[in-house]
Amino acid sequence: MILDSKIPEGPLAEKWDKHKFDVKLVNPANKRKYDIIVVGTGLAGASAAATFAELGYNVKSFCYQDSPRRAHSIAAQGGINAAKNYQNDGDSVFRLFYDTIKGGDYRSREANVYRLAQVSVNIIDQCVAQGVPFARDYGGLLANRSFGGAQVSRTFYARGQTGQQLLLGAYSALNRQVAYGKIKVYPRTEMLDLVMVDGKARGIVTRNLITGKIESHSAHAVVLATGGYGNVFFLSTNAMGSNATAAWRAYKKGAYFANPCYTQIHPTCIPVSGGHQSKLTLMSESLRNDGRVWVPKTVELAQKLRKGEIRVADIAEADRDYYLERKYPAFGNLVPRDVASRNAKLVCDEGRGVGSSGLAVYLDFADAIKRDGLAAISAKYGNLFDMYAKITDENPYEVPMRIYPAVHYTMGGLWVDYNLMTNLPGLYAAGECNFSDHGANRLGASALMQGLADGYFVLPYTIGDYLAKMPYDKVSTDHPAFKEAEQNVMDITNRLLSIKGTRTVDDFHKALGHIMWEYCGMARNAEGLQIAKQEIRKLRNEFWRDVKVVGVNEELNVTLEKAHRVADFLELGELMVEDALQRNESCGGHFREESQTPENEALRDDENFAYVAAWEFAGVDNAPVLHKEDLKFENVKLTQRSYK
């Protein structure tokens, strides 16, 4: 099958404006005749639902949390990018576009990324109008700071809680439409299947997480804004409830899954402290504006430090290796996340890591505090420092933070065209749920930008083009397609409950996470990926033979919720390994050890792999079918990435 990305003709800078004019419109009086389902209430889902309702559509909004404002977007810390050029430091829409393409290691569509840069400037105005309390300078103007992969300051922020403030803005817009009766919210409700009628997405099947009731919901179009799949690794910075089930069930109904092996490892997270942990904690990338990353210059010094024979303060400046500043003088500590993460792994593999495990590096603020004063650093990062102190019982104002890379974000997701529609008519994917904007590595502060761009400024235009060609007729949930999907959900649920095995769901999830991190994590190779493929399949078979799911369906049953999600993670893990195996190159967060430069940088193979890998489901035990969307670069030149 040829994948049609539906990218408009014409010059790059004019594509989106021309496309907005060319799309079909729905008369305001007719919008109220259409129903739209939005699954997920993070930045992409909440902003999309609010905007659809504002336009006049009838919206049903679903989330598994007890409130839409608990969506995981709330955990984003550092900021949101926009090409406002308020600092007059040379930023522009084209520079943001170029930085994002380069940051993604030339594995994303030019047209989608340019549109993202274009609408970024509107997002800030929208959020300020909503009352989002962005940081401001002494004169009251909006402040900016720098993030990785850029040499300009374009990141808007609200201390270390930007995601929370942006989500509250979107949530207030959503609640306004709830009050007007245009949105009905279904909290504590999880999507477990997609319903296709006559080849179009016409609804979903859900499970009420309080009562266990299986219900169907019908609409003219379905939007998935359900986030990423980082929890396939078990330990990640994602909320423990974050999962891939909605996207995965759509994949099993025919939606293509694109670039699943593209996962982002964030370089600044609090290191793993033991097997008791169920998640990891992010320390914002913004900290690298003022914090300096270093390790001891010698293995001997690092060993003494780990044994407690010396303290951090005993290491002289001359014996400290500020390795990012040394290797990448142009960007220093603000290199992109994949570069910073790989270098942290490299120095730890050399035996120069710190902390009891040796799997950590220092993020040191001593110079910044000496330069700017403790009060200034506290004003910028106070809540992050407090969080670190509570978790580690160490004072980061006095001793350096210990950090290490952890799974944070997934650039892969459901394949979508320029309109954010999947290959299934009527099914859209927005935010981290789709693959569209970040290539093989996302730049810091770009996730919030993409989520709000998709929800506020892209989907409201493109979904109308589809609905304008749709009849107003509603499909009843008594339709055989809905009954079949309901039965499918019940069959899976009953099968999980009937196994009555000996191993807990968490035990299987941890085992999967260990395989994924070991063989499909920061570094990958053909031999390890082949091992992972066999091990995951073996684990999946054991899961369906020996998992222990207690309780019944007709009640609050957290174990059953997890079982559904882990069953999907086991299948997704196999696809991620398959994708990583076939992509025999290194690019961004996908680092194949066989494909690297003499300086240990990712070495792309543009001749053979300059494409989007879109996978089609062919049965649980059958090999998925690979479809390729060739990437064309007309405005940037494909070069070896360099941040030196």
Side-chain angles (χ1 to χ4, degrees):
M1 175 183 176
I2 296 173
L3 292 172
D4 182 7
S5 59
K6 296 185 171 62
I7 294 172
E9 297 294 325
L12 184 67
E14 297 173 14
K15 287 182 189 292
W16 178 232
D17 288 337
K18 181 179 182 301
H19 189 62
K20 285 192 291 185
F21 179 77
D22 289 342
V23 295
K24 294 188 180 301
L25 301 176
V26 179
N27 182 293
N30 290 336
K31 287 189 173 97
R32 65 177 69 98
K33 300 174 184 175
Y34 290 108
D35 300 332
I36 302 174
I37 284 172
V38 181
V39 186
T41 57
L43 289 181
S47 60
T51 311
F52 291 153
E54 186 93 33
L55 288 169
Y57 298 112
N58 306 306
V59 180
K60 289 182 178 180
S61 172
F62 296 84
C63 63
Y64 70 80
Q65 298 92 344
D66 59 357
S67 165
R69 70 177 179 275
R70 290 188 185 274
H72 188 58
S73 297
I74 205 166
Q77 296 172 355
I80 177 170
N81 288 330
K84 285 286 200 181
N85 194 30
Y86 283 167
Q87 302 303 313
N88 198 28
D89 56 0
D91 201 11
S92 65
V93 167
F94 192 88
R95 189 176 294 279
L96 175 52
F97 154 73
Y98 177 77
D99 286 348
T100 306
I101 286 276
K102 178 185 174 184
D105 217 351
Y106 304 93
R107 288 295 176 262
S108 50
R109 289 191 198 126
E110 282 191 340
N112 286 61
V113 176
Y114 193 87
R115 175 177 64 189
L116 177 64
Q118 265 182 302
V119 303
S120 71
V121 298
N122 300 329
I123 296 169
I124 304 304
D125 297 338
Q126 168 88 0
C127 295
V128 168
Q130 289 174 338
V132 172
F134 286 123
R136 294 176 182 269
D137 64 20
Y138 183 76
L141 301 175
L142 291 171
N144 292 112
R145 58 188 175 199
S146 300
F147 258 63
Q151 291 180 305
V152 297
S153 294
R154 62 163 69 101
T155 305
F156 295 78
Y157 62 98
R159 290 191 83 189
Q161 49 190 234
T162 314
Q164 181 186 49
Q165 299 305 325
L166 291 173
L167 185 60
L168 289 173
Y171 174 67
S172 66
L174 180 140
N175 261 4
R176 182 167 171 262
Q177 297 304 317
V178 169
Y180 290 152
K182 295 301 293 180
I183 298 179
K184 182 166 174 52
V185 177
Y186 294 83
R188 303 294 285 132
T189 305
E190 185 157 27
M191 171 184 160
L192 292 180
D193 210 348
L194 175 72
V195 180
M196 301 292 294
V197 177
D198 298 328
K200 295 183 176 68
R202 293 305 302 262
I204 62 173
V205 173
T206 63
R207 178 175 179 270
N208 184 308
L209 299 182
I210 304 297
T211 66
K213 187 177 180 184
I214 307 297
E215 295 177 296
S216 286
H217 300 271
S218 169
H220 293 89
V222 176
V223 176
L224 299 187
T226 50
Y229 48 91
N231 275 351
V232 70
F233 290 88
F234 185 70
L235 285 178
S236 81
T237 65
N238 291 182
M240 288 179 63
S242 297
N243 65 84
T245 289
W248 192 250
R249 303 288 168 98
Y251 165 71
K252 293 176 84 167
K253 278 294 178 77
Y256 294 169
F257 211 108
N259 301 333
C261 77
Y262 289 169
T263 52
Q264 177 164 91
I265 315 293
H266 198 295
T268 51
C269 301
I270 297 178
V272 175
S273 60
H276 61 282
Q277 279 182 274
S278 53
K279 79 175 298 295
L280 297 173
T281 304
L282 172 73
M283 286 285 103
S284 169
E285 181 168 317
S286 62
L287 293 169
R288 287 195 276 144
N289 272 278
D290 290 299
R292 300 179 71 193
V293 180
W294 66 274
V295 290
K297 277 187 176 175
T298 65
V299 174
E300 293 73 28
L301 269 177
Q303 286 174 340
K304 286 182 179 179
L305 201 57
R306 291 197 292 270
K307 290 176 184 174
E309 295 174 6
I310 59 172
R311 296 173 305 154
V312 186
D314 298 330
I315 301 178
E317 187 70 16
D319 293 326
R320 301 180 179 194
D321 180 13
Y322 296 92
Y323 58 88
L324 292 178
E325 296 174 26
R326 171 174 56 82
K327 293 176 73 173
Y328 308 97
F331 283 76
N333 294 298
L334 286 172
V335 291
R337 291 173 177 178
D338 61 315
V339 177
S341 293
R342 273 198 298 277
N343 277 276
K345 181 181 187 298
L346 200 62
V347 295
C348 289
D349 288 349
E350 290 170 357
R352 294 194 288 143
V354 300
S356 57
S357 67
L359 294 176
V361 300
Y362 285 130
L363 183 62
D364 197 336
F365 293 87
D367 287 348
I369 291 171
K370 193 184 299 180
R371 182 187 68 236
D372 300 333
L374 191 142
I377 297 302
S378 178
K380 282 184 185 177
Y381 311 118
N383 64 314
L384 297 172
F385 277 45
D386 291 346
M387 191 191 311
Y388 181 87
K390 282 178 184 173
I391 292 171
T392 65
D393 197 28
E394 295 174 4
N395 185 346
Y397 293 104
E398 297 174 359
V399 295
M401 287 184 177
R402 288 174 296 106
I403 56 166
Y404 193 69
V407 174
H408 177 61
Y409 187 90
T410 51
M411 286 74 68
L414 292 177
W415 182 89
V416 291
D417 61 19
Y418 190 71
N419 295 320
L420 304 187
M421 191 193 285
T422 67
N423 58 297
L424 300 181
L427 177 66
Y428 292 79
E432 191 179 354
C433 183
N434 73 34
F435 87 100
S436 68
D437 292 345
H438 305 296
N441 175 64
R442 177 177 68 76
L443 290 184
S446 287
L448 308 187
M449 175 174 64
Q450 187 211 345
L452 292 179
D454 288 355
Y456 282 137
F457 299 109
V458 178
L459 275 173
Y461 285 97
T462 60
I463 205 165
D465 186 55
Y466 172 74
L467 293 175
K469 304 163 193 168
M470 282 273 289
Y472 307 132
D473 305 348
K474 300 179 190 296
V475 175
S476 168
T477 53
D478 291 328
H479 190 283
F482 280 93
K483 295 305 172 190
E484 183 184 334
E486 285 179 19
Q487 190 58 51
N488 178 52
V489 169
M490 280 307 306
D491 289 346
I492 296 171
T493 302
N494 290 333
R495 185 182 173 195
L496 288 167
L497 289 166
S498 68
I499 297 169
K500 302 188 187 306
T502 60
R503 287 182 67 180
T504 65
V505 177
D506 279 349
D507 194 31
F508 279 104
H509 196 177
K510 282 182 183 178
L512 172 64
H514 178 75
I515 296 168
M516 295 300 296
W517 181 250
E518 194 68 25
Y519 300 112
C520 198
M522 271 194 281
R524 304 147 182 197
N525 59 57
E527 183 185 358
L529 290 167
Q530 290 289 4
I531 293 170
K533 203 171 172 180
Q534 295 164 12
E535 290 295 313
I536 294 171
R537 182 155 294 198
K538 195 191 303 178
L539 187 68
R540 180 164 59 81
N541 290 334
E542 193 177 340
F543 174 88
W544 286 106
R545 201 171 49 244
D546 195 32
V547 72
K548 181 179 183 179
V549 182
V550 297
V552 296
N553 177 55
E554 293 76 19
E555 64 179 1
L556 173 65
N557 190 334
V558 176
T559 308
L560 179 58
E561 289 173 37
K562 287 182 181 177
H564 270 287
R565 296 166 188 168
V566 173
D568 293 333
F569 278 143
L570 285 161
E571 293 174 7
L572 172 57
E574 282 190 70
L575 183 65
M576 290 170 68
V577 168
E578 184 69 38
D579 188 44
L581 203 50
Q582 71 83 30
R583 189 169 283 278
N584 193 16
E585 66 159 356
S586 291
C587 55
H590 170 62
F591 190 74
R592 284 288 295 266
E593 292 174 340
E594 307 93 330
S595 183
Q596 55 183 305
T597 69
E599 297 170 311
N600 306 112
E601 303 291 351
L603 182 63
R604 295 194 320 271
D605 178 356
D606 295 330
E607 190 175 335
N608 295 305
F609 293 100
Y611 62 75
V612 176
W615 296 91
E616 179 183 4
F617 181 68
V620 172
D621 293 312
N622 299 326
V625 180
L626 174 61
H627 302 275
K628 298 178 182 179
E629 178 201 335
D630 291 330
L631 292 168
K632 296 177 181 142
F633 295 92
E634 299 167 348
N635 298 274
V636 296
K637 185 181 177 185
L638 286 167
T639 58
Q640 173 67 33
R641 269 194 325 171
S642 174
Y643 291 95
K644 293 184 181 298

